[in-house]
Amino acid sequence: MITNMTLLTSPVLIGINIYFFTITVISFFFAHLKRLRYSALIIGALMLMVVISTRDLSYGDAGTYYKYYVAYPNPVDIKFEFLFDKLIALSKLLGLSPELFFFITTAIQFALLFFGFYRLTKALNLEKYFEFIIYLFISGFTFYFQTVETIREGLALSIVVLAVALYVEGKLKSSIICLFISFLFHSSTIILLPLIFLRRISNKKLLILTTILLITSSFIDKYIVLLAKILNLNYILLRLELYRDFGGGSKTVLLRVILIFVSVIAFYFLIEKILPHEIENINLLKFYIYMSTFLFIAVPFQELARRNLFRFSYFIPFFVAIIIEKQEFFPKKKIPILLIILVGTFLYHNIFLQSYHAMVGLLNW
């Protein structure tokens, strides 16, 4: 059985990554064969799903979910969100084994994630980059962490991708519904709900706010903790103290936060100044800037910042595709640039990520 620590070094998983790499390269030259392309993706997704769902479930977050499932409905020390709890209740009612339950949750997450990615590529007119975007994401650490360990959050963020696609399309009510459903799987996604009501605020004003938050982040944590004490928010206070001390293994959280800030500035000028009439891209930029405000607030709470960084990696591939798609930047050089990025991603996944300690302790995404 594959353990969480040996998952990325599994020859089977490396073979699946090579499969996705191959169909992504082929998609550049046969973009018109949609049915064949999507069939190949589904086959790859099924293989990946089987490998991930048959891993060792005895430790880590997955171990906690396993023990919770086995003990349910007997009293346990921890309670999960409503929909995740009801999913367990239904599975127990049907007499499903823990292994089959994890297979089903993996299948649900994959279905939601791939559909959300497809919907967002369609909203941004990036359908021909669908395989490219999928490959960039599944080759990074976040994908495996969210499917192997933080299953609840992985389910929630898969729904968030769909919510963002609906937001980009201007379907606010549907987006709110999706965000609310994601909240019932993992309560952390509640921070995204105010985004709906900031639609009329310019990206420039949001960008100014994120800059201020980054500059003041070195001491803002004291005021956040003080506010939580004044309002007697004991649960939030406990979590903040936990996140301040936990996650010390990563040495590059601040560096990655600065890189995110630089990318926010770059995407702002790309989309607002060069593509001002493409409302879908502007809406995606608004989400990206909005997410960065929470990242910068969380900088002093290293583990919280690290987890917020995971959310960014769901959407960075879309900005990469947007940049490549614009003719004025890379006239007649799209395919070579796409191949360079793909080869770099392939080497990153199949060489660097083979070291579990490098994966967890250094980059974490």
Side-chain angles (χ1 to χ4, degrees):
M1 180 176 288
I2 297 173
T3 67
N4 295 5
M5 293 189 69
T6 61
L7 178 64
L8 289 180
T9 61
S10 164
V12 176
L13 194 61
I14 293 174
I16 292 174
N17 187 267
I18 293 172
Y19 172 84
F20 273 99
F21 175 84
T22 304
I23 64 175
T24 301
V25 173
I26 293 174
S27 72
F28 296 157
F29 304 97
F30 299 96
H32 59 287
L33 300 176
K34 288 187 177 182
R35 182 174 296 181
L36 184 60
R37 287 168 51 203
Y38 296 156
S39 297
L41 271 179
I42 291 172
I43 292 171
L46 288 173
M47 292 190 294
L48 193 55
M49 184 177 69
V50 169
V51 172
I52 289 176
S53 61
T54 55
R55 69 193 182 280
D56 183 9
L57 300 170
S58 63
Y59 58 92
D61 286 5
T64 300
Y65 298 135
Y66 183 92
K67 293 174 184 176
Y68 184 88
Y69 186 87
V70 171
Y72 192 91
N74 297 324
V76 290
D77 296 332
I78 188 172
K79 292 291 183 182
F80 295 125
E81 287 82 356
F82 178 78
L83 280 183
F84 189 77
D85 191 76
K86 294 305 177 186
L87 184 59
I88 290 177
L90 177 61
S91 299
K92 294 285 283 190
L93 181 65
L94 296 173
L96 303 183
S97 66
E99 291 76 14
L100 187 53
F101 167 74
F102 278 92
F103 180 83
I104 291 173
T105 56
T106 304
I108 293 172
Q109 186 174 345
F110 270 49
L112 290 170
L113 184 63
F114 275 64
F115 179 69
F117 270 50
Y118 172 75
R119 188 72 179 257
L120 190 50
T121 55
K122 190 174 181 180
L124 296 169
N125 295 315
L126 296 173
E127 288 180 86
K128 61 183 176 181
Y129 295 97
F130 183 47
E131 291 91 340
F132 174 74
I133 289 170
I134 289 289
Y135 181 74
L136 291 188
F137 181 66
I138 67 169
S139 295
F141 173 74
T142 294
F143 172 72
Y144 296 97
F145 187 73
Q146 301 286 27
T147 53
V148 173
E149 286 286 341
T150 55
I151 300 167
R152 286 165 35 244
E153 188 174 15
L155 284 166
L157 289 176
S158 296
I159 301 171
V160 166
V161 174
L162 179 58
V164 172
L166 294 167
Y167 177 79
V168 165
E169 294 171 359
K171 299 176 180 178
L172 299 186
K173 291 182 180 179
S174 299
S175 183
I176 291 173
I177 292 172
C178 284
L179 286 176
F180 181 72
I181 293 173
S182 73
F183 168 74
L184 296 178
F185 276 105
H186 199 281
S187 57
S188 67
T189 59
I190 196 172
I191 66 173
L192 299 177
L193 281 174
L195 174 65
I196 304 299
F197 307 101
L198 297 176
R199 192 174 179 83
R200 296 182 182 275
I201 297 179
S202 69
N203 286 337
K204 182 178 181 180
K205 292 179 180 178
L206 280 178
L207 185 59
I208 292 172
L209 174 62
T210 62
T211 305
I212 294 172
L213 288 172
L214 179 61
I215 294 172
T216 60
S217 63
S218 60
F219 58 83
I220 200 172
D221 61 311
K222 299 176 183 178
Y223 298 101
I224 295 174
V225 172
L226 179 61
L227 181 62
K229 289 181 178 178
I230 292 174
L231 297 177
N232 199 29
L233 301 174
N234 293 326
Y235 174 77
I236 294 178
L237 184 62
L238 179 65
R239 302 302 292 179
L240 288 176
E241 292 297 339
L242 173 66
Y243 285 137
R244 191 204 299 271
D245 300 327
F246 185 64
S250 176
K251 306 302 181 184
T252 60
V253 167
L254 183 58
L255 173 62
R256 284 178 282 149
V257 167
I258 293 173
L259 289 175
I260 290 293
F261 177 71
V262 172
S263 71
V264 167
I265 298 293
F267 291 139
Y268 171 79
F269 283 102
L270 168 67
I271 293 175
E272 288 280 1
K273 303 301 181 182
I274 300 175
L275 312 170
H277 304 299
E278 299 187 14
I279 189 65
E280 293 82 8
N281 291 333
I282 291 175
N283 287 340
L284 180 62
L285 175 63
K286 188 180 293 292
F287 168 80
Y288 196 69
I289 296 174
Y290 177 78
M291 278 297 299
S292 68
T293 62
F294 290 96
L295 174 62
F296 298 152
I297 290 173
V299 166
F301 308 97
Q302 187 178 124
E303 177 65 11
L304 190 59
R306 190 174 70 92
R307 293 188 179 224
N308 278 338
L309 281 164
F310 292 150
R311 294 175 170 87
F312 279 91
S313 56
Y314 278 78
F315 301 97
I316 288 176
F318 289 92
F319 283 104
V320 174
I322 289 171
I323 292 172
I324 295 173
E325 173 62 10
K326 299 309 153 185
Q327 293 282 353
E328 57 267 35
F329 290 99
F330 308 114
K332 300 181 181 179
K333 295 182 180 180
K334 288 183 183 179
I335 298 299
I337 290 172
L338 285 167
L339 290 175
I340 290 171
I341 294 174
L342 273 181
V343 171
T345 303
F346 178 82
L347 294 175
Y348 166 78
H349 179 274
N350 293 289
I351 296 178
F352 180 77
L353 285 193
Q354 301 311 305
S355 169
Y356 183 84
H357 295 289
M359 174 180 63
V360 174
L362 183 59
L363 289 181
N364 302 113
W365 61 340

